[in-house]
Amino acid sequence: GYAKSTCHIDVNCPEADAYASAKDGVVLLINSSNATFCSGSMVANTNYDGKPYVLSASHCYFNAPANWVFRFKYQAEECDGATAESFVSVSGGEFRSRYNSTDHLLVEIVAGLESGQLPAATNAYFNGWDFTGRALEHAAGIHHPSGVMKKISFDDHNKSGNSLKITFIVKFFYNGCSKFVIYLIFVLI
């Protein structure tokens, strides 16, 4: 598994406190064979109306999103815990957008909604973006490496703040441990 390390830290550990809201916007994707295959992030739209868009990676698109399960709150109950919190799942998505050169995929959750919104039990947070071009000083990726409970990984290579600009383009990040997507799941601190 992915035990606590400098690479993959449980999202309920103190190191992740600054990302408490952002972690509630990250979901585990499960296919119709009940296999976990990718992470995604709930993403706010410009109307801020709670429309349940999930941003993931284009390479994750290999079967119909109508059969996908979106698992919320799949994370350890406490720091370094072995027991998962009570997670909530909704099923059924619809393809919205995909672009291979930036490896982005946008899917809308269309089933399991209550009056067009995600059930309150998901405690979903809609991560946003900043396209001002400000330099990014610190970044973190929240994800489910190999389908395990939610982890956070930090970018320790960008202390100068001048090599990675915040954009609305999906970017891959390699922190020496695993490759994951930094997109809409970072918080400037």
Side-chain angles (χ1 to χ4, degrees), residues 42-45 47-53 116-118 126:
M42 301 304 303
V43 58
N45 62 31
N47 292 328
Y48 301 102
D49 59 6
K51 193 169 211 88
Y53 289 120
Q117 302 291 307
L118 289 168
F126 292 84

mmCIF file of all heavy atoms in Angstrom, residues 42-45 47-53 116-118 126:
data_model
loop_
_atom_site.group_PDB
_atom_site.id
_atom_site.type_symbol
_atom_site.label_atom_id
_atom_site.label_comp_id
_atom_site.label_asym_id
_atom_site.label_seq_id
_atom_site.Cartn_x
_atom_site.Cartn_y
_atom_site.Cartn_z
ATOM 1 N N MET A 42 -13.940 17.537 -8.239
ATOM 2 C CA MET A 42 -15.136 18.326 -8.492
ATOM 3 C C MET A 42 -14.650 19.727 -8.844
ATOM 4 O O MET A 42 -13.749 20.256 -8.197
ATOM 5 C CB MET A 42 -16.042 18.379 -7.261
ATOM 6 C CG MET A 42 -16.517 17.028 -6.772
ATOM 7 S SD MET A 42 -17.368 16.037 -8.020
ATOM 8 C CE MET A 42 -18.695 17.127 -8.505
ATOM 9 N N VAL A 43 -15.225 20.301 -9.888
ATOM 10 C CA VAL A 43 -14.744 21.600 -10.348
ATOM 11 C C VAL A 43 -15.904 22.583 -10.442
ATOM 12 O O VAL A 43 -16.969 22.263 -10.967
ATOM 13 C CB VAL A 43 -13.987 21.462 -11.689
ATOM 14 C CG1 VAL A 43 -14.848 20.853 -12.760
ATOM 15 C CG2 VAL A 43 -13.422 22.788 -12.149
ATOM 16 N N ALA A 44 -15.676 23.761 -9.902
ATOM 17 C CA ALA A 44 -16.679 24.818 -9.963
ATOM 18 C C ALA A 44 -16.761 25.364 -11.383
ATOM 19 O O ALA A 44 -15.763 25.438 -12.090
ATOM 20 C CB ALA A 44 -16.317 25.940 -8.997
ATOM 21 N N ASN A 45 -17.953 25.740 -11.789
ATOM 22 C CA ASN A 45 -18.085 26.437 -13.072
ATOM 23 C C ASN A 45 -18.256 27.928 -12.789
ATOM 24 O O ASN A 45 -18.331 28.353 -11.636
ATOM 25 C CB ASN A 45 -19.242 25.860 -13.905
ATOM 26 C CG ASN A 45 -20.587 26.008 -13.247
ATOM 27 O OD1 ASN A 45 -20.843 26.952 -12.502
ATOM 28 N ND2 ASN A 45 -21.479 25.069 -13.508
ATOM 29 N N ASN A 47 -20.752 29.774 -13.124
ATOM 30 C CA ASN A 47 -22.051 30.115 -12.527
ATOM 31 C C ASN A 47 -22.097 29.788 -11.041
ATOM 32 O O ASN A 47 -23.025 30.197 -10.348
ATOM 33 C CB ASN A 47 -23.183 29.362 -13.233
ATOM 34 C CG ASN A 47 -23.386 29.839 -14.641
ATOM 35 O OD1 ASN A 47 -23.178 31.007 -14.949
ATOM 36 N ND2 ASN A 47 -23.782 28.927 -15.515
ATOM 37 N N TYR A 48 -21.150 29.027 -10.554
ATOM 38 C CA TYR A 48 -21.099 28.588 -9.150
ATOM 39 C C TYR A 48 -22.445 28.019 -8.711
ATOM 40 O O TYR A 48 -22.958 28.328 -7.647
ATOM 41 C CB TYR A 48 -20.664 29.730 -8.228
ATOM 42 C CG TYR A 48 -19.317 30.285 -8.584
ATOM 43 C CD1 TYR A 48 -19.205 31.476 -9.288
ATOM 44 C CD2 TYR A 48 -18.162 29.596 -8.251
ATOM 45 C CE1 TYR A 48 -17.958 31.978 -9.645
ATOM 46 C CE2 TYR A 48 -16.915 30.088 -8.608
ATOM 47 C CZ TYR A 48 -16.820 31.280 -9.299
ATOM 48 O OH TYR A 48 -15.599 31.759 -9.654
ATOM 49 N N ASP A 49 -23.007 27.164 -9.580
ATOM 50 C CA ASP A 49 -24.351 26.643 -9.324
ATOM 51 C C ASP A 49 -24.369 25.200 -8.821
ATOM 52 O O ASP A 49 -25.429 24.593 -8.703
ATOM 53 C CB ASP A 49 -25.210 26.773 -10.582
ATOM 54 C CG ASP A 49 -24.624 26.028 -11.777
ATOM 55 O OD1 ASP A 49 -23.606 25.311 -11.624
ATOM 56 O OD2 ASP A 49 -25.190 26.177 -12.879
ATOM 57 N N GLY A 50 -23.204 24.639 -8.518
ATOM 58 C CA GLY A 50 -23.159 23.283 -7.995
ATOM 59 C C GLY A 50 -23.343 22.199 -9.041
ATOM 60 O O GLY A 50 -23.552 21.035 -8.701
ATOM 61 N N LYS A 51 -23.283 22.544 -10.309
ATOM 62 C CA LYS A 51 -23.372 21.529 -11.362
ATOM 63 C C LYS A 51 -22.202 20.570 -11.157
ATOM 64 O O LYS A 51 -21.057 21.000 -11.086
ATOM 65 C CB LYS A 51 -23.330 22.175 -12.736
ATOM 66 C CG LYS A 51 -23.717 21.230 -13.845
ATOM 67 C CD LYS A 51 -23.911 22.036 -15.124
ATOM 68 C CE LYS A 51 -24.938 21.415 -16.002
ATOM 69 N NZ LYS A 51 -26.286 21.725 -15.881
ATOM 70 N N PRO A 52 -22.461 19.276 -11.050
ATOM 71 C CA PRO A 52 -21.414 18.337 -10.628
ATOM 72 C C PRO A 52 -20.469 17.885 -11.751
ATOM 73 O O PRO A 52 -20.556 16.779 -12.265
ATOM 74 C CB PRO A 52 -22.208 17.166 -10.058
ATOM 75 C CG PRO A 52 -23.509 17.204 -10.779
ATOM 76 C CD PRO A 52 -23.783 18.649 -11.082
ATOM 77 N N TYR A 53 -19.539 18.774 -12.093
ATOM 78 C CA TYR A 53 -18.507 18.449 -13.069
ATOM 79 C C TYR A 53 -17.315 17.817 -12.358
ATOM 80 O O TYR A 53 -16.906 18.272 -11.281
ATOM 81 C CB TYR A 53 -18.022 19.701 -13.804
ATOM 82 C CG TYR A 53 -19.023 20.281 -14.771
ATOM 83 C CD1 TYR A 53 -19.495 21.568 -14.612
ATOM 84 C CD2 TYR A 53 -19.468 19.533 -15.864
ATOM 85 C CE1 TYR A 53 -20.396 22.120 -15.510
ATOM 86 C CE2 TYR A 53 -20.375 20.074 -16.767
ATOM 87 C CZ TYR A 53 -20.828 21.363 -16.579
ATOM 88 O OH TYR A 53 -21.728 21.895 -17.468
ATOM 89 N N GLY A 116 -31.049 18.004 -8.862
ATOM 90 C CA GLY A 116 -29.963 18.452 -9.714
ATOM 91 C C GLY A 116 -28.635 18.674 -9.007
ATOM 92 O O GLY A 116 -27.669 19.103 -9.630
ATOM 93 N N GLN A 117 -28.595 18.419 -7.720
ATOM 94 C CA GLN A 117 -27.380 18.646 -6.936
ATOM 95 C C GLN A 117 -26.883 17.325 -6.346
ATOM 96 O O GLN A 117 -27.655 16.375 -6.178
ATOM 97 C CB GLN A 117 -27.671 19.614 -5.783
ATOM 98 C CG GLN A 117 -28.219 20.957 -6.216
ATOM 99 C CD GLN A 117 -27.190 21.794 -6.938
ATOM 100 O OE1 GLN A 117 -26.094 22.016 -6.457
ATOM 101 N NE2 GLN A 117 -27.540 22.266 -8.135
ATOM 102 N N LEU A 118 -25.610 17.292 -5.990
ATOM 103 C CA LEU A 118 -25.078 16.122 -5.300
ATOM 104 C C LEU A 118 -25.741 15.984 -3.940
ATOM 105 O O LEU A 118 -26.082 16.991 -3.307
ATOM 106 C CB LEU A 118 -23.563 16.268 -5.111
ATOM 107 C CG LEU A 118 -22.730 16.136 -6.370
ATOM 108 C CD1 LEU A 118 -21.296 16.593 -6.103
ATOM 109 C CD2 LEU A 118 -22.742 14.702 -6.869
ATOM 110 N N PHE A 126 -16.383 22.194 -4.374
ATOM 111 C CA PHE A 126 -16.080 22.438 -5.780
ATOM 112 C C PHE A 126 -14.812 23.279 -5.871
ATOM 113 O O PHE A 126 -14.816 24.458 -5.560
ATOM 114 C CB PHE A 126 -17.260 23.128 -6.465
ATOM 115 C CG PHE A 126 -18.452 22.218 -6.575
ATOM 116 C CD1 PHE A 126 -19.333 22.074 -5.526
ATOM 117 C CD2 PHE A 126 -18.664 21.482 -7.732
ATOM 118 C CE1 PHE A 126 -20.420 21.218 -5.615
ATOM 119 C CE2 PHE A 126 -19.741 20.612 -7.837
ATOM 120 C CZ PHE A 126 -20.621 20.485 -6.769
#
